[in-house]
Every structure is written in C-alpha cells, then in structure tokens.
Amino acid sequence: MDKRKRQRLEGAGWKVGGTADFLGLSEEEAALVAVKLGLASAVRKQRSRRRMTQEQLGRLLGSSQSRVAKMEAADPSVSIDLMVRSLLRMGASRKDVASYISTPAPRRAA
C-alpha cells in the first residue's frame, strides 16, 4: 500500500495492518503460517512441473487426491512433515525445501 493511501485511511479513522495484526498472531505463529504457505505453494508447483495430477501424487504418497488438495491449500489438518515428505518424494532436495521455507509464498488473488 502506498504511503498516501495509508495516511488517507488512517486519517479517516481506519486501522491499517497486516494479516497477523488482524488475526492477532504472535511473531512465531505468523512465521509458522508463512512456512506452511511456502510449502503448500511448493507442493503445487512441483506437482505441476512434473505434470502430475493430484490423484497421481496421492498414489505416490500412499494417500488420496483430497489430501493432496488440502496440502496445496495449506489446510490446518495437514502437517508440515507431510508437505516436506511430499516434496522430497517428488525429487526436491533438502536445499530446495529450505528455499521454499525461506521464500514467502506468492500472493493469490482473492
């Protein structure tokens, strides 16, 4: 958000902040959400690069298509462990996984 727009909103009485502010997340919780979103995005990208369907990835993992869809959506019921194992199973290196964790996930249009 540009500085002028922010000043205009704050001048009108609006509080301007980020998602973590809105949800009342601690720094640790916000960092965990960012890690999970980065991994979810990476699972989706890796699967697409390999021209795999969600169903095919599910079979490779011994899981289901719906579980893969939940992974790609960063569903709270999916563990970070499963996301990392999925990436490794698709051929990502540990260095790749580290880069997915450290790079913020791209924003998606609402």
Side-chain angles (χ1 to χ4, degrees), residues 5 12 16 19 28 31 33 37 39 41-42 44 50 52 63 73 77 79 92 95-96 99-101 108:
K5 184 173 184 177
V16 180
T19 307
E28 294 82 12
V33 168
L37 289 173
L39 290 171
S41 176
R44 185 174 38 257
R50 292 176 180 0
M52 296 175 76
S63 190
S77 69
S79 69
K95 187 175 180 178
D96 293 335
S99 73
Y100 302 142
I101 290 171
R108 294 185 353 196

Side-chain angles (χ1 to χ4, degrees), residues 26-91:
S26 68
E27 283 186 43
E28 294 82 12
E29 291 168 327
L32 187 59
V33 168
V35 165
K36 199 158 192 180
L37 289 173
L39 290 171
S41 176
V43 168
R44 185 174 38 257
K45 284 179 185 174
Q46 287 293 330
R47 181 183 58 78
S48 293
R49 279 190 197 133
R50 292 176 180 0
R51 291 187 165 84
M52 296 175 76
T53 65
Q54 289 180 341
E55 185 176 348
Q56 289 169 327
L57 178 55
R59 277 197 308 266
L60 179 68
L61 301 171
S63 190
S64 65
Q65 175 276 324
S66 63
R67 196 74 180 147
V68 172
K70 287 180 180 185
M71 266 193 283
E72 293 180 0
D75 188 278
S77 69
V78 176
S79 69
I80 288 174
D81 175 67
L82 179 58
M83 292 176 164
V84 170
R85 283 189 290 125
S86 300
L87 289 165
L88 294 172
R89 180 69 58 92
M90 285 189 285

